[in-house]
Amino acid sequence: MDAEKNYLVGVFDDEDVLLSGVTSIRESGVKIHEVYSPFPVHGLDEVLGYKRSRLPIAAFLFGLTGTSLALTMQIWMLGYDWPMIIGGKNFVSLPPFIPVTFELTVLLSALGMVATFMIVSDLKPYRWPRQFDLRSTDDKHVMAIDLALNHGKSKSEITSILKAAGASEVNEKNFE
């Protein structure tokens, strides 16, 4: 059973206030869990300090696995397990293997990226997603701060930092 997680949730009305607020909050030493926005805010990733995604590396590795699997399977089946002369070609001829190899490469790459994204994003099929504030899907920007990650700061101190950064309201949210 998971331990209870306590968050402070700052609600922002404007994206420009949110961007300057993220900068000032990070400079004050408070660690931000996540920021939710109803639309993409340009520059938010850089301000939050996000690093470039490694998903293309995972896609390449899954695609390489698909290519290797397709070639191994076709060479073994048509060259050694059940050798057949098709169209007068050799047992192991690469041009007829290209369509199957391409399809298995694309299939494993796509499925691997979906699985990697779901694991990294903590999107499990049996788990209901956390909603810090439903207005983050409408017109408000929401900043969640995990109190467990900010050991040196009290709840009231973080609340005052959020208010000074431009949050229109600060709420507490608990999840099990």
Side-chain angles (χ1 to χ4, degrees):
M1 184 172 170
D2 292 333
E4 187 170 310
K5 302 277 272 179
N6 296 326
Y7 295 92
L8 279 181
V9 179
V11 179
F12 292 81
D13 297 329
D14 186 54
E15 65 265 19
D16 294 328
V17 176
L18 175 73
L19 283 174
S20 63
V22 167
T23 304
S24 66
I25 289 171
R26 288 190 71 205
E27 287 173 354
S28 68
V30 175
K31 294 178 183 172
I32 299 171
H33 172 70
E34 190 62 76
V35 174
Y36 300 95
S37 178
F39 51 84
V41 177
H42 295 286
L44 185 59
D45 292 347
E46 292 84 21
V47 174
L48 282 170
Y50 286 164
K51 296 176 184 168
R52 186 183 165 112
S53 172
R54 289 181 281 182
L55 199 56
I57 297 170
F60 176 74
L61 293 176
F62 284 116
L64 193 62
T65 303
T67 301
S68 303
L69 182 67
L71 287 176
T72 303
M73 177 185 70
Q74 292 176 95
I75 289 171
W76 181 76
M77 286 190 314
L78 297 175
Y80 301 105
D81 187 40
W82 195 298
M84 292 176 45
I85 298 175
I86 300 173
K89 298 185 189 274
N90 296 331
F91 293 132
V92 179
S93 178
L94 288 180
F97 296 169
I98 289 175
V100 173
T101 303
F102 174 77
E103 294 295 333
L104 204 57
T105 301
V106 171
L107 178 70
L108 283 191
S109 180
L111 291 177
M113 281 195 307
V114 168
T116 303
F117 176 76
M118 291 185 77
I119 290 169
V120 169
S121 300
D122 203 22
L123 295 172
K124 297 172 183 139
Y126 56 86
R127 184 174 168 194
W128 191 254
R130 293 179 179 162
Q131 285 286 338
F132 288 97
D133 195 319
L134 284 178
R135 294 176 293 174
S136 68
T137 61
D138 188 18
D139 61 342
K140 303 288 185 193
H141 307 277
V142 173
M143 180 185 304
I145 296 175
D146 189 356
L147 293 175
L149 294 177
N150 296 288
H151 297 292
K153 306 220 182 280
S154 67
K155 199 181 301 182
S156 62
E157 188 177 359
I158 295 173
T159 301
S160 65
I161 289 172
L162 278 169
K163 290 273 188 188
S168 59
E169 62 183 89
V170 178
N171 303 318
E172 190 171 345
K173 191 84 175 183
N174 298 324
F175 292 104
E176 289 184 20

